[in-house]
């Protein structure tokens, strides 16, 4: 059974730092992996989607990598800003079902 | 933005009462999903639909039913609400083009007293 873990559950860093969020999964047979952002009281917004055949995807200051063999994905945020404060969730498409991590709550201190 | 609206956004009800949450989309997406989100858990799939009148169960479907009589509307019903169903409920649709991208509504916060 696929399991997805995000560690740490919360992270606080000063503005301007580069940072990495982690997502690990137990079964490497995945279709794709997605990273989402959730602001308090809001729905989820898709940030990046990496297909199983891809190694990384980039969007602006965000870069997501995928290493299926080790069961890991990272979300790299460059030059963090207070507006990046949110909860970041990863979800693995495994056997046509999305399995979700519990998220990392990120706080960027001005 | 898939134009997904959920209603009601907030509801407080009592144990044993029926509750229906509505999800409406404007993009004509085929696949629609209902999730619940609880502290310390990832999102958990309740039910999903792959077309009008075509639905299937997710991992936490007990106590919930769904209906999809039109492409744009997906209803989630709690026949007899329990306190364990206090949660935030999210509707999502799957974008077209086989990319696998999901679009979410803003959630419905349900409190069962």
């Amino acid at each position: 059974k696929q399991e997805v873990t995000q560690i740490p559950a919360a992270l606080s860093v000063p503005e301007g730092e580069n940072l990495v969020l982690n997502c690990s999964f137990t079964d490497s047979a995945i279709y794709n992996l997605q990273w989402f952002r959730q602001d308090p009281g809001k729905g989820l917004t898709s940030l990046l989607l990496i297909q199983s055949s891809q190694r990384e995807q980039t969007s602006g200051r965000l870069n997501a990598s995928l290493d299926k063999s080790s069961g890991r994905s990272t979300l790299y945020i460059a030059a963090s800003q207070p507006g990046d404060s949110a909860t970041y969730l990863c979800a693995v498409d495994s056997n046509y079902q999305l399995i979700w991590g519990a998220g990392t709550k990120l706080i960027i201190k001005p | 933005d898939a134009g997904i609206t959920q209603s009601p956004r907030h509801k407080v009800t009592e144990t044993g009462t029926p509750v229906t949450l509505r999800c409406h989309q404007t993009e004509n997406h085929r696949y629609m999903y209902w999730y619940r989100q609880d502290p310390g858990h990832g999102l958990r799939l309740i039910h999903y639909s792959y077309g009008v009148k075509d639905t299937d169960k997710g991992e936490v479907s007990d106590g919930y039913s769904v209906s999809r009589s039109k492409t744009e509307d997906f209803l989630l019903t709690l026949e007899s609400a329990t306190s364990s169903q206090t949660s935030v409920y999210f509707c999502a649709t799957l974008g077209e083009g086989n990319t696998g991208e999901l679009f979410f509504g803003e959630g419905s916060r349900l409190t069962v007293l």
Side-chain angles (χ1 to χ4, degrees):
Chain A
K1 179 185 173 186
Q2 179 73 271
E3 294 182 359
V4 179
T5 304
Q6 292 185 250
I7 296 174
L11 182 63
S12 179
V13 300
E15 179 180 4
E17 282 198 5
N18 304 324
L19 60 99
V20 173
L21 305 180
N22 297 297
C23 174
S24 61
F25 48 96
T26 55
D27 186 347
S28 62
I30 66 171
Y31 180 66
N32 63 47
L33 184 147
Q34 300 186 55
W35 282 93
F36 293 84
R37 170 186 172 134
Q38 184 176 26
D39 294 290
K42 299 290 187 180
L44 285 74
T45 301
S46 179
L47 296 174
L48 290 164
L49 185 153
I50 312 176
Q51 300 289 352
S52 63
S53 59
Q54 297 174 322
R55 298 282 294 186
E56 65 178 338
Q57 282 284 348
T58 298
S59 176
R61 294 182 295 107
L62 305 180
N63 176 277
S65 69
L66 175 63
D67 184 344
K68 286 196 304 178
S69 61
S70 66
R72 294 175 61 184
S73 175
T74 61
L75 179 66
Y76 174 83
I77 302 177
S80 58
Q81 303 170 359
D84 295 330
S85 297
T87 296
Y88 291 81
L89 297 97
C90 68
V92 171
D93 189 340
S94 180
N95 198 25
Y96 302 106
Q97 286 202 19
L98 272 186
I99 308 299
W100 294 79
T104 295
K105 183 176 182 179
L106 177 64
I107 297 173
I108 307 297
K109 298 175 289 186
Chain B
D1 186 357
I4 301 171
T5 54
Q6 293 184 227
S7 60
R9 295 289 317 281
H10 301 272
K11 185 171 182 66
V12 180
T13 192
E14 294 190 350
T15 297
T17 60
V19 176
T20 295
L21 305 180
R22 179 181 184 242
C23 178
H24 179 80
Q25 58 131 337
T26 59
E27 296 296 317
N28 207 37
H29 288 164
R30 180 182 170 195
Y31 282 81
M32 298 184 74
Y33 306 83
W34 276 109
Y35 288 94
R36 61 178 288 173
Q37 185 177 38
D38 303 290
H41 291 271
L43 273 72
R44 292 181 290 176
L45 181 65
I46 305 171
H47 281 278
Y48 67 98
S49 169
Y50 46 97
V52 173
K53 293 193 168 81
D54 291 323
T55 65
D56 206 348
K57 297 178 180 180
E59 64 176 302
V60 291
S61 60
D62 288 348
Y64 302 94
S65 63
V66 291
S67 65
R68 190 157 178 213
S69 59
K70 298 185 290 185
T71 298
E72 58 266 34
D73 289 327
F74 192 31
L75 305 181
L76 176 70
T77 297
L78 292 66
E79 300 290 349
S80 178
T82 67
S83 58
S84 65
Q85 295 176 311
T86 292
S87 187
V88 181
Y89 292 86
F90 287 98
C91 174
T93 68
L94 182 65
E96 301 300 339
N98 221 26
T99 63
E101 186 175 4
L102 279 182
F103 300 91
F104 280 82
E106 295 210 327
S108 295
R109 181 174 295 274
L110 175 66
T111 301
V112 183
L113 302 176

